[in-house]
Amino acid sequence: MTAFAVLLSILAAISIGAISPGPSFVLVSRIAVASSRTHGLASALGMGVGGALFAALAVLGLTALLMQFEWLYLLLKLLGGAYLVYIAIRIWRGASEPLALSGSIETASGISVSRAFLLGLITQLSNPKTSIVYASIFAALMPPSPPLWLLLALPPMLFCVEAGWYAVVAFAFSGSRARLIYGRLKLWIDRGAGAVMGALGLKLMVEAFKTRA
């Protein structure tokens, strides 16, 4: 397999993982519909930066090192799960707050554009399983002696994959029709999003305890 074919294979595998629904999808879609398209795109950029960091770690072999220290991996899973539960509680508690359809920097959800970016980045990084997925894909598809250009191309290319997909999500959920529907059903949509996010966080924590046992 040529280096270019390896690059395409890795991009395809990561794309499938990015499209699969999870806490990142829940977060970006809610930020986009509750705040603005700009906020949604900022969170999408955060997801992209997180993906690029995972790719860089995989290229450097640090995720393989993480897999050798099980206690550290389990600790990261617990912290990541706790963070998702925290976000879920914040979403649930804010479900009854009215939606202000304005273009101001601060919105009804109380976050700035920079805060939306950080939420996207931290949510992406909160799940260490993602780094293991990256490492597994790299280990399965990378040649024994990959060319330097391939190693340098992977982080920015995977940034484009992650940020590109979540930008699509942000555009889809920040449309006027989506925001109108959200305004009418905000209480139930937010509580549903909070419940899903909390369940994903608890699942991550339970997996860590089961692995430990």
Side-chain angles (χ1 to χ4, degrees):
M1 185 182 295
T2 66
F4 184 70
V6 169
L7 176 62
L8 293 181
S9 299
I10 292 176
L11 292 179
I14 297 298
S15 297
I16 293 173
I19 293 173
S20 302
S24 299
F25 180 89
V26 174
L27 182 81
V28 174
S29 60
R30 185 189 178 274
I31 288 178
V33 73
S35 299
S36 70
R37 180 165 294 169
T38 301
H39 287 75
L41 291 174
S43 63
L45 286 177
M47 297 294 176
V49 172
L53 288 176
F54 280 139
L57 290 175
V59 165
L60 295 173
L62 296 181
T63 47
L65 183 63
L66 177 64
M67 294 174 67
Q68 296 180 10
F69 293 93
E70 185 180 5
W71 66 269
L72 180 57
Y73 177 55
L74 296 179
L75 177 62
L76 291 176
K77 289 183 75 171
L78 286 173
L79 293 176
Y83 172 76
L84 293 181
V85 171
Y86 166 74
I87 293 296
I89 293 173
R90 291 285 301 273
I91 293 175
W92 183 281
R93 293 179 62 182
S96 59
E97 296 178 1
L99 176 66
L101 297 176
S102 66
S104 61
I105 294 178
E106 293 291 338
T107 65
S109 55
I111 64 171
S112 63
V113 173
S114 60
R115 174 69 173 168
F117 171 83
L118 288 175
L119 281 172
L121 174 61
I122 297 173
T123 300
Q124 179 77 301
L125 298 178
S126 66
N127 188 356
K129 290 174 63 178
T130 305
S131 67
I132 303 302
V133 169
Y134 270 66
S136 300
I137 292 174
F138 279 34
L141 298 175
M142 289 283 276
S145 301
L148 179 61
W149 73 263
L150 178 59
L151 298 178
L152 294 177
L154 280 168
M157 293 295 290
L158 291 174
F159 165 83
C160 293
V161 168
E162 296 277 0
W165 163 245
Y166 289 111
V168 171
V169 173
F171 269 97
F173 282 86
S174 60
S176 56
R177 184 172 182 180
R179 286 170 64 79
L180 180 62
I181 294 174
Y182 175 73
R184 293 175 178 174
L185 303 174
K186 181 180 183 299
L187 177 65
W188 300 109
I189 292 176
D190 279 5
R191 286 186 174 175
V196 171
M197 187 77 79
L200 291 170
L202 289 174
K203 179 176 180 292
L204 198 60
M205 298 173 73
V206 168
E207 287 178 353
F209 282 114
K210 284 185 176 180
T211 303
R212 183 63 178 173

